[in-house]
Amino acid sequence: MIIQGTAQAGEVRERADVVVVGTGAGGGTLAVYLAERGWDVVMLERGGFFRAEDFSQREEEAMGAFNGRRGLDSTVDNAIFLNYAQAVGGTTVHYWGDSFRTPHDRLERWRREHGLEWMTPAELDPHFDVIEEELGIHVAEEKLFNENNRLVRQGCEALGVDGHAVPTARVDCIACGWTQFGCAYNRKTSQLITTIPRISKSGGRIYSDALVERIVVEGGRATGVEGVFLDRATSQPRGRFRIDAGTVVLAGGALGTAELLLGNLKEPAVGKRFYINPHYFVFADFGREIDNVTGIPCAYAVHEWRQVRTTADGKYAGGGYIMLSSHQSPGITAAMLPETGAAHAERMRRYRRLGSLMSVIDEEHPGRVFLDGGVRKTEYRVRGVDAEKAVDFLQNASRIFLAAGAKEVWIPDTYGTVVRNEAEIRQISLASVQPNVQFCAGSHLLGTAPLGTDPDDSFAGPTGEAHRVRGLYVADGAALPGSVSVDPSLTIMGVARWIAAGLHEREGRTGV
Ligand SMILES: Cc1cc2nc3c(=O)[nH]c(=O)nc-3n(C[C@H](O)[C@H](O)[C@H](O)COP(=O)(O)OP(=O)(O)OC[C@H]3O[C@@H](n4cnc5c(N)ncnc54)[C@H](O)[C@@H]3O)c2cc1C
């Protein structure tokens, strides 16, 4: 049952076997596993409950309705836009649906550096198999490609660069192009239309507009959570709730989980590492109208540079990112382009001629999440080798578009950099990627309450249970030890499902 918290003015008290904070990739996946095996589940979601008919395909309405801080969250220096959703279904309501399994080299690194011995393909693949089946994940077929995707593929083929059609989470997609602002046709298989209805059918209660503020801990054990129902329009509290449960699972995303933990427990590792996979963007003017409006934003991705390359003496020589074909809506494109006045208008007039690529940088240097006077804030600097990766991305993305026939490529920095040939590409430098010199975003938010074996360096042990509070689990992007090096949602879901399976096995329920 979905219970709209925005209509609750009094006090709600409930008991459940497990209470799950957050309804996104991690929370939805874990909760459905348990609910369908006989667990009594309550989910709490600070965002609203929206259905297909609520998604108007207007970006300004969607950003105001369910983007974090209504589309205005950024690092403290305003250099990086933080993009995430607050809604039943979590950020999967926004997401594009690119669904990559965790690269084996990344699992190996997590085993080696964080003692997570179970993070092997053998353990995770059975979970990925089920999730892929349930979400209809399949390699994007040709009808989902728009011209931007085709041009990126063409550029890669011309240069002999490794790229692939993307595994995507959607069924019978009509390729309308508005996926980021909520799927109005129930074709993108977000948690909103996959796990949430199944949890509901299994007797789970899902409260929207329900902000968890306090984790109740008694005798070293989590016994429930407390919080307030929010008025959706004003975000002001309307009523209170308390849910008592033997198991508490945090799945509020890397920001939400960190904020809740920082306000409740003294935990040295929480918020210390904040990964975002910095996204830089290039725009390519093809001198003619191309279709980068319909289709799916990313049917084709470039994997050539996923791994860092080094010189014989160990210096950075390129790579450390993947590229996604990128469709940005008019309002967001306008915010990205740095010019003002007539120059800005001239660039926007060419909107329909623009192709775009974005980076997913596999960063070495994470930022941090902290509370300042009770307010959650973030710091993040793209620095050191990560800045070099950003420059390498801008150069290689420009090469791909020029090889595909672009007339010019725009680096959206405040210098108005435009490149038309290799000599100009080589001029792109670190100056372009200094803070606030060009638009940079993060939408893969990870690592703020990580799993690991060292209680001073991680929040939870390998099973997902907190080192210092029994019965308290983390099962979302916060739980990952670091960047995945590809889009993270399938990894988050796989890890959450693995944690759910362990929990179910240990607690010995006798359900399905
Ligand atoms: C525009 C966009 C496109 C993306 N595209 C892709 C893609 O194609 N592929 C991919 O792999 N990834 C993509 N991502 C990222 C992906 O969606 C996220 O990494 C993933 O959803 C994170 O899962 P999560 O469980 O950690 O958190 P979320 O899915 O963000 O869910 C957390 C939920 O918890 C709620 N919450 C937080 N704190 C509280 C609290 N105190 N009380 C109650 N509720 C709370 C939040 O409101 C939120 O709804 C995209 C992201 C964006 C913004």
Side-chain angles (χ1 to χ4, degrees):
M1 184 174 26
I2 309 272
I3 302 156
Q4 303 246 19
T6 203
Q8 306 276 333
E11 175 111 16
V12 167
R13 185 138 189 179
E14 272 234 45
R15 170 165 290 284
D17 294 330
V18 58
V19 59
V20 182
V21 182
T23 57
T29 306
L30 172 133
V32 79
Y33 187 97
L34 297 177
E36 291 185 344
R37 285 162 181 77
W39 289 57
D40 185 32
V41 174
V42 166
M43 300 189 83
L44 298 161
E45 169 55 57
R46 68 174 295 165
F49 174 55
F50 303 96
R51 280 158 289 199
E53 58 268 33
D54 300 316
F55 298 129
S56 63
Q57 304 193 324
R58 296 197 64 86
E59 56 180 312
E60 70 280 14
E61 287 174 5
M63 295 302 272
F66 60 83
N67 195 264
R69 295 191 176 163
R70 301 192 192 267
L72 294 172
D73 200 355
S74 71
T75 50
V76 284
D77 59 0
N78 287 324
I80 298 173
F81 167 51
L82 299 173
N83 196 3
Y84 56 97
Q86 292 178 329
V88 173
T91 305
T92 69
V93 174
H94 259 321
Y95 89 154
W96 292 0
D98 318 339
S99 302
F100 302 105
R101 291 192 182 197
T102 327
H104 292 184
D105 52 80
R106 191 50 43 121
L107 293 175
E108 198 275 324
R109 181 168 168 180
W110 290 346
R111 292 198 295 277
R112 182 167 29 90
E113 292 182 0
H114 303 280
L116 297 167
E117 292 303 328
W118 67 265
M119 285 209 178
T120 60
E123 284 286 333
L124 279 166
D125 282 353
H127 296 288
F128 290 146
D129 288 344
V130 173
I131 295 163
E132 286 170 352
E133 169 81 24
E134 290 178 351
L135 269 52
I137 293 170
H138 64 286
V139 174
E141 60 272 43
E142 200 60 31
K143 70 171 184 170
L144 298 181
F145 277 60
N146 60 22
E147 198 166 358
N148 182 55
N149 282 286
R150 285 195 292 273
L151 287 164
V152 171
R153 181 173 59 193
Q154 188 182 315
C156 286
E157 285 171 358
L159 295 174
V161 156
D162 178 27
H164 307 278
V166 161
T168 188
R170 37 189 29 96
V171 173
D172 294 334
C173 177
I174 64 162
C176 72
W178 291 98
T179 201
Q180 181 162 329
F181 304 109
C183 179
Y185 305 98
N186 282 335
R187 308 295 169 97
K188 176 177 73 176
T189 45
S190 69
Q191 301 297 300
L192 177 63
I193 65 159
T194 54
T195 58
I196 298 295
R198 285 167 54 199
I199 295 160
S200 179
K201 217 185 226 172
S202 303
R205 278 89 69 218
I206 299 124
Y207 288 89
S208 71
D209 308 281
L211 172 68
V212 176
E213 296 178 315
R214 184 166 167 250
I215 304 164
V216 183
V217 179
E218 292 166 322
R221 185 169 184 98
T223 56
V225 296
E226 290 179 346
V228 290
F229 292 114
L230 301 172
D231 177 75
R232 201 172 295 169
T234 63
S235 301
Q236 291 304 305
R238 289 176 58 91
R240 294 200 63 82
F241 59 83
R242 171 157 175 164
I243 313 295
D244 298 303
T247 303
V248 175
V249 179
L250 305 181
L255 288 174
T257 291
E259 181 173 356
L260 189 55
L261 283 171
L262 288 165
N264 276 269
L265 303 173
K266 295 240 170 308
E267 283 288 337
V270 170
K272 206 167 73 178
R273 294 195 294 273
F274 176 44
Y275 294 85
I276 66 167
N277 288 167
H279 308 322
Y280 289 89
F281 299 81
V282 299
F283 294 95
D285 182 352
F286 280 87
R288 63 181 169 86
E289 204 163 288
I290 64 160
D291 174 19
N292 192 14
V293 175
T294 63
I296 62 172
C298 183
Y300 191 84
V302 184
H303 292 262
E304 174 79 19
W305 295 281
R306 187 177 69 79
Q307 310 247 32
V308 166
R309 296 156 190 196
T310 49
T311 59
D313 55 353
K315 294 213 178 70
Y316 175 76
Y321 53 85
I322 64 165
M323 297 183 193
L324 304 178
S325 301
S326 156
H327 157 217
Q328 299 303 330
S329 50
I332 290 178
T333 303
M336 287 171 159
L337 297 177
E339 292 80 5
T340 55
H344 189 263
E346 174 49 32
R347 291 235 180 171
M348 283 307 292
R349 244 177 241 121
R350 300 198 219 168
Y351 176 74
R352 284 188 166 270
R353 294 164 34 170
L354 299 180
S356 179
L357 270 165
M358 63 179 264
S359 65
V360 171
I361 292 179
D362 182 24
E363 71 261 59
E364 283 302 317
H365 302 293
R368 73 181 182 111
V369 181
F370 58 102
L371 293 186
D372 180 10
V375 178
R376 190 265 295 151
K377 294 187 177 171
T378 51
E379 274 178 352
Y380 192 102
R381 269 286 152 93
V382 179
R383 61 188 195 279
V385 70
D386 297 331
E388 293 186 67
K389 293 173 191 171
V391 172
D392 198 54
F393 158 73
L394 296 171
Q395 293 185 336
N396 283 324
S398 303
R399 288 185 180 107
I400 289 170
F401 275 135
L402 291 180
K407 300 286 176 234
E408 54 185 42
V409 178
W410 304 346
I411 309 302
D413 58 21
T414 51
Y415 315 119
T417 301
V418 174
V419 297
R420 297 175 195 84
N421 53 49
E422 182 61 30
E424 286 172 347
I425 288 174
R426 286 173 191 274
Q427 301 281 314
I428 302 169
S429 73
L430 288 170
S432 265
V433 296
Q434 297 308 304
N436 289 309
V437 166
Q438 73 169 277
F439 184 92
C440 182
S443 69
H444 299 164
L445 312 182
L446 305 167
T448 55
L451 308 187
T453 46
D454 177 355
D456 292 325
D457 191 54
S458 56
F459 165 69
T463 61
E465 189 173 26
H467 289 297
R468 295 175 183 86
V469 181
R470 276 171 294 124
L472 179 64
Y473 284 77
V474 60
D476 59 2
L480 300 191
S483 159
V484 185
S485 81
V486 293
D487 302 38
S489 61
L490 189 56
T491 298
I492 294 170
M493 294 175 201
V495 167
R497 199 171 189 278
W498 186 93
I499 290 171
L503 190 53
H504 182 61
E505 202 178 295
R506 281 190 307 283
E507 295 291 316
R509 307 271 155 182
T510 52
V512 182

